[in-house]
Amino acid sequence: MVFEAGHLKSAVAMDELIGASQNNFPVNVLKFFDLTDGLELSWAHAVNSQLKLKEAFSGNSMMLEADVLLHPKDGTPLMAHPPNTNSDLSLVQFLKKTIGSGKGIKLDFKVTAVVEPSLRILSDQTTAQHEATNPIWLNADILSGPCQTDCNDPVDPQVFLSLCAKYFPSATLSVGWTTGKYISPEKDGYDWHLVQPMKQLLSNLTQPITFAIRANLIGNSIEQLIWLLGLSEEYTLTIWSADSDAPNMKDLVALHNRVSDKKRIFYDLPLHQKTNFREELKYY
């Protein structure tokens, strides 16, 4: 997908981009959970079934991450992660349990087509039930990233950003770059030609932004990530990793030590990786 960041301003009405209602203030995730360090925020991943949702509510995880796709037959939004395309948990069911709860929500949109119907449901649910007093993050890979041969197309950035501002301006936007299974931590990273278009995309938005950063690409990207944080006090980093990844913990420590305000960096890592990271931090 070829994208020119400057097209966003002409393609989307400015009032939709600004879009923040005076009665719709973002919920700060650390204040909600009474934390002072992003490292302390805990996650439940792939909450894409009734069973996973029940387990997440019975556990200690603070943020519930779930993936949204369209039902292959009737096109309604449901919780599933490719290659799975179906589940026993619809988006409506997920939101009825989580809106206004003691858990935070991160909805991960996998394709452009699912964004608008999902955000309509989110808006309807918060109106029908009660205000969303808990943190709500909306996540999508909106730019092509350090991929080689196995990357999916990004979610259309113009569609995602404008619809989030229109339907749910109080949400935190979690935005990232596509990354594939076959990446080289030694060679790949978030180069300047990847991060600079992201700056242009976000320049007119008022919503809080967290950049979704893959842990095993940090080594070649520290200067770029520090630069992104410097663009706005409302910007944060969310470091994520797949179970099959083997990120260099010294790279994570190096980035951690460069970010003086620990409220501005979160770690959405598998348990064994987060444990290793904490151990590595003790030596620095």
Side-chain angles (χ1 to χ4, degrees), residues 55-149:
E55 291 174 346
F57 267 98
S58 64
N60 296 323
S61 296
M62 300 171 186
M63 291 291 291
L64 310 186
E65 183 272 338
D67 307 286
V68 193
L69 290 175
L70 293 175
H71 192 287
K73 292 186 177 179
D74 61 22
T76 58
L78 54 75
M79 318 316 289
H81 188 292
N84 296 323
T85 58
N86 204 348
S87 78
D88 63 352
L89 182 63
S90 69
L91 177 60
V92 170
Q93 293 170 322
F94 178 87
L95 292 176
K96 283 184 176 179
K97 293 284 189 180
T98 57
I99 291 294
S101 72
K103 303 288 188 179
I105 307 166
K106 180 180 176 181
L107 298 178
D108 188 354
F109 300 104
K110 296 302 185 185
V111 294
T112 303
V114 77
V115 176
E116 184 160 25
S118 299
L119 292 180
R120 284 179 176 173
I121 290 172
L122 178 61
S123 180
D124 290 344
Q125 287 295 315
T126 55
T127 301
Q129 297 186 88
H130 35 67
E131 288 188 26
T133 55
N134 51 328
I136 295 181
W137 291 14
L138 305 175
N139 179 81
D141 292 333
I142 60 173
L143 288 177
S144 295
C147 299
Q148 295 186 17
T149 60

